[in-house]
Amino acid sequence: MATIPAIAADRVPELLRRMPKAELHIHIEGSLEPELIFAMARRNGVPIPYASVDELRRAYAFTNLQSFLDIYYAGAGVLVAEQDFFDMAWAYLEKARADNVVHAEIFFDPQTHTARGVAMETVINGLHRACEQAREQLGVSASLILCFLRHLSEEEAFQALEQALPLRDKFIGVGLDSSEVGHPPEKFARVFARCGELGLHRVAHAGEEGPPEYVWTALDVLGVERIDHGVQSARDPQLMRRLAQERVPLTVCPLSNLKLCVFPRLEDHNIRRLLEAGLAVTVNSDDPAYFGGYLNDNFLQTFEATGLTAQHAWQLANNSFEASFVGAEQKRRWRDRLDEVFASLQA
Ligand code: HPA
Ligand code: ZN
């Protein structure tokens, strides 16, 4: 690591807001704010079982991953037209810009839409158009990662892949999300092997609620380049050594972990331990409309609760660039911008 300029502790919040960063773990359907859910429900004539935005928000009291997923898939049911997918992604990208996110790799869950009769191209074209416009109008680069739903079968994942392949140039990789426990990565061995042959990047949620074994098999059976969440890895010292040695990126989502009761309090989160064990940790928002904050909220609250410092901030931002699926030259430019912001806030 380069020498990081000393920054006064009281300027760390400003630093966290201003520093350029990449977001690598954001489910676009999880950025759908209640106001937008109601607006889309009205314009598409989709009934929702809540009387108001406030009543819907009050339902966001989760006890675990599944209790969240049930309401998250119901919310996504208001997305029907290509414009809906565009509007959802654009709203996120504007918030990302405000948080000084320079690059986002965005997950989407096409099977939750195609199961309702929405065409794969409606989903991908709407999201992709927002990504293109963000590059031109916001100066934010954004790309898409198609996630397979792990509670469904591998056969259904193959069908989703088949439907998406005509739009191959509009997404950069595949991921694996939804209900983790009982659906180990190896259930998707063949479809991930096929995605590897197609030159798609591969990532998977593992070790969010599930055991460290799922992180091992995501790496060894699915061949993933990053682990999404991965916080349960701390229970396995041998796995921790491997993740550190190979610098496997973990896309950690602190407010998500808090809201889904993975840790009882943010103060109890193990992010500092993971970082200090030499893991390539990044900070991400996961499903910001449901978990109480976008990327800067995650940084600010986590630093406040766990006592992370400016040195950690530099490491986390640089890790987000290193772990992204962009070229070395682009990563170097973002790192230079990071160093400029640090220099400008020097004590
Ligand atoms: N875990 C698994 N699946 C998900 C998540 C998550 O945090 N968010 C949206 N789908
Ligand atoms: Zn996630």
Side-chain angles (χ1 to χ4, degrees), residues 110-111 114-115 120 146-163 187-188 190-191:
Q111 290 163 293
T114 54
M120 182 64 83
L146 183 160
C147 283
F148 300 119
L149 298 180
R150 68 201 303 158
H151 67 273
L152 301 179
S153 68
E154 185 177 53
E155 184 57 37
E156 287 163 297
F158 267 116
Q159 284 164 11
L161 179 63
E162 191 74 18
Q163 290 163 358
K187 181 177 162 187
F188 295 90
R190 293 175 312 150
V191 73

Side-chain angles (χ1 to χ4, degrees), residues 215-282:
V215 178
W216 284 103
T217 53
L219 293 169
D220 292 334
V221 180
L222 303 187
V224 302
E225 297 157 82
R226 299 195 294 247
I227 295 289
D228 296 312
H229 292 293
V231 292
Q232 301 300 335
S233 305
R235 290 157 43 194
D236 180 341
Q238 199 187 338
L239 177 59
M240 288 288 279
R241 282 193 292 277
R242 175 176 180 187
L243 294 172
Q245 249 158 29
E246 297 179 13
R247 293 289 291 166
V248 176
L250 298 193
T251 62
V252 172
C253 306
L255 288 179
S256 166
N257 294 153
L258 176 67
K259 291 291 158 44
L260 301 188
C261 307
V262 173
F263 297 97
R265 303 175 312 156
L266 206 48
E267 287 79 356
D268 302 315
H269 199 287
N270 64 9
I271 187 167
R272 187 171 184 143
R273 183 171 156 214
L274 299 172
L275 263 176
E276 292 179 353
L279 275 63
V281 174
T282 64

Side-chain angles (χ1 to χ4, degrees), residues 170-193:
K170 295 183 177 169
F171 59 101
I172 61 164
V174 295
L176 186 64
D177 66 1
S178 190
S179 320
E180 185 182 10
V181 174
H183 301 285
E186 52 272 30
K187 181 177 162 187
F188 295 90
R190 293 175 312 150
V191 73
F192 268 69

Side-chain angles (χ1 to χ4, degrees), residues 25 27 107 177 205 208 228-229 253 286-287:
H25 186 159
H27 301 263
F107 294 144
D177 66 1
H205 284 53
E208 178 184 13
D228 296 312
H229 292 293
C253 306
D286 207 6
D287 300 282

